[in-house]
């Protein structure tokens, strides 16, 4: 598959599971979509009875506490989109429609690996249109206390440098930096699981979070050790998962990024916040097409002409 061509899935693929926060069952089907469609979620099973199309875009983010939520809770939202968005971005999928029958994505094993396996099982197809990127032209940075996130220009590709620093001696401080490619993503990032502190479980439950969390989908951290009997998949699995989350949140730019991302003690809020900072000034970025040929977008909202793929009439 040529990297300068847009892609989609060859055919639809379905996954089922439970939401890590709601504990409710969920089924998703990832459908192919036409060129320039981008990524969007078709939320069914809403309280109003009306299906809702939600663009996978940072402007549609409605919450970032413990997970990333897009859409409006009252009329139809989708929570915990970051793992699937990460898999789509990591594998280079430009266009897809995700049909989901409830308010939260299935957590599966807590990583992006099951999504990668599902996408790989059907394969990718070229859409017959050039890929577009968002090229970072000048450095943007946000800070909250000791935490920060920034995007800066680079000549080509997308590089992430993510650092975490937890008081827990089990996690501690670690850093992961890597150029993002489908091969590196599959090998080094996709299998890294979400994690949580055992001491916080009761507080999360009272707040309505982590109701579906278990040792099957979360790395549980005690005071001095990992609770999961199988241990970790990587010695630095915690920072790799934060890297995975950052990829998924930054996918909400609407197009792939050409630039370098750096964060320290970041999270969903800062990942989305750096996109808000980037797009706050038109001088910060440009749209490039094909193999580096500069081209201004016809509209400033990426994929603003979002359309339903040809198969959607059959849903």
């Amino acid at each position: 598959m040529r990297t300068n061509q847009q892609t989609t899935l060859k055919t639809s693929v379905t996954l089922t599971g439970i939401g890590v926060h709601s504990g409710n069952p969920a089924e998703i089907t990832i459908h192919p979509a036409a060129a320039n469609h981008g990524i969007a979620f078709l939320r069914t099973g809403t309280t109003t009875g009306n299906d809702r199309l939600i663009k996978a875009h940072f402007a549609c983010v409605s919450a970032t506490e413990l997970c990333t939520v897009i859409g409006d809770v009252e009329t139809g939202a989708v929570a915990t989109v970051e793992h699937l968005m990460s898999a789509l971005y990591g594998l280079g999928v430009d266009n897809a429609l995700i049909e989901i029958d409830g308010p939260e994505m299935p957590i599966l094993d807590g990583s992006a690996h099951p999504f990668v396996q599902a996408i790989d099982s059907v394969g990718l197809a070229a859409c017959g249109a050039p890929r577009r990127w968002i090229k970072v032209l000048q450095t943007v940075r946000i800070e909250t206390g000791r935490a920060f996130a920034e995007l800066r220009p680079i000549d080509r590709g997308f590089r992430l440098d993510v650092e975490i620093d937890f008081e827990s001696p089990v996690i501690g401080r670690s850093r992961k930096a890597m150029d993002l490619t489908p091969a590196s993503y599959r090998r080094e990032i996709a299998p890294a699981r979400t994690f949580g502190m055992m001491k916080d479980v009761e507080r999360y439950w009272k707040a309505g979070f982590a109701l579906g969390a278990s040792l099957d989908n979360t790395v549980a951290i005690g005071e001095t050790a990992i609770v999961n009997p199988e241990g970790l998949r990587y010695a630095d699995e915690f920072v790799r998962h934060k890297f995975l989350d950052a990829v998924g949140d930054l996918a909400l730019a609407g197009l792939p990024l050409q630039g370098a991302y750096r964060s320290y003690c970041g999270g969903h809020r800062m990942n989305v916040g750096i996109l808000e900072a980037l797009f706050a000034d038109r001088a910060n970025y440009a749209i490039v097409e094909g193999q580096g040929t500069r081209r201004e977008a016809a509209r400033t909202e990426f994929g603003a002409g979002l359309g339903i793929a040809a198969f959607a009439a059959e849903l």
Side-chain angles (χ1 to χ4, degrees):
M1 191 73 63
R2 295 193 300 171
T3 59
N4 65 330
Q5 290 291 307
Q6 293 182 35
T7 66
T8 189
L9 278 65
K10 286 184 177 178
T11 188
S12 300
V13 62
T14 298
L15 301 95
T16 60
I18 64 167
V20 68
H21 294 302
S22 66
N24 294 328
E27 178 176 288
I28 69 162
T29 299
I30 311 170
H31 295 286
N36 300 316
H37 175 279
I39 309 297
F41 288 76
L42 181 64
R43 170 66 205 283
T44 66
T46 66
T47 55
T48 64
N50 297 319
D51 295 349
R52 182 171 175 80
L53 186 68
I54 309 168
K55 189 177 178 181
H57 193 270
F58 72 92
C60 298
V61 171
S62 54
T64 53
E65 185 179 3
L66 298 181
C67 68
T68 301
V69 183
I70 58 173
D72 182 81
V73 174
E74 298 300 321
T75 59
V78 182
T80 322
V81 299
E82 59 270 17
H83 296 175
L84 174 58
M85 291 301 300
S86 184
L88 292 169
Y89 195 138
L91 298 186
V93 180
D94 300 284
N95 304 293
L97 180 69
I98 299 98
E99 184 182 2
I100 178 168
D101 64 357
E104 187 180 13
M105 292 286 295
I107 190 62
L108 305 173
D109 74 345
S111 78
H113 185 59
F115 294 118
V116 169
Q117 288 183 308
I119 295 166
D120 284 345
S121 72
V122 297
L124 300 186
C127 291
R131 176 171 284 152
R132 296 179 296 157
W133 285 267
I134 297 161
K135 182 178 181 179
V136 179
L137 297 181
Q138 56 190 18
T139 299
V140 292
R141 181 182 173 102
I142 58 173
E143 299 179 3
T144 303
R146 65 173 184 156
F148 70 84
E150 69 177 24
L151 279 167
R152 60 180 176 81
I154 57 175
D155 290 338
R156 63 178 62 189
F158 185 36
R159 181 171 182 82
L160 294 96
D161 183 343
V162 176
E163 186 173 3
I164 60 173
D165 188 1
F166 283 79
E167 292 183 1
S168 165
V170 182
I171 303 177
R173 184 171 183 170
S174 57
R175 185 173 178 177
K176 178 70 175 175
M178 188 182 76
D179 292 327
L180 190 68
T181 67
S184 65
Y185 183 83
R186 283 188 181 90
R187 181 179 64 250
E188 300 192 41
I189 301 303
R193 296 163 293 173
T194 193
F195 58 92
M197 309 285 189
M198 290 296 295
K199 65 181 180 62
D200 295 328
V201 168
E202 188 172 345
R203 175 170 61 87
Y204 289 157
W205 287 346
K206 288 181 179 179
F209 293 106
L211 301 178
S214 72
L215 297 182
D216 293 327
N217 57 41
T218 304
V219 177
I221 303 162
E223 291 186 8
T224 60
I226 301 297
V227 176
N228 305 61
E230 76 278 10
L232 296 175
R233 294 178 176 176
Y234 306 95
D236 60 348
E237 186 168 1
F238 305 116
V239 73
R240 290 179 192 241
H241 186 77
K242 288 294 188 180
F243 190 112
L244 184 158
D245 280 346
V247 172
D249 289 335
L250 294 172
L252 298 174
L255 292 173
L257 291 163
Q258 180 185 332
Y261 177 70
R262 169 88 168 97
S263 71
Y264 173 73
C265 295
H268 299 302
R269 178 61 256 168
M270 295 201 79
N271 295 336
V272 174
I274 197 65
L275 293 179
E276 294 170 343
L278 177 69
F279 293 111
D281 187 341
R282 192 64 180 82
N284 291 337
Y285 67 95
I287 308 300
V288 296
E289 182 180 278
Q291 294 182 324
T293 302
R294 182 165 178 157
R295 174 183 178 274
E296 294 297 328
R299 282 166 286 185
T300 56
E301 277 198 331
F302 310 115
L306 181 70
I308 302 298
F311 58 79
E314 300 174 4
L315 299 180

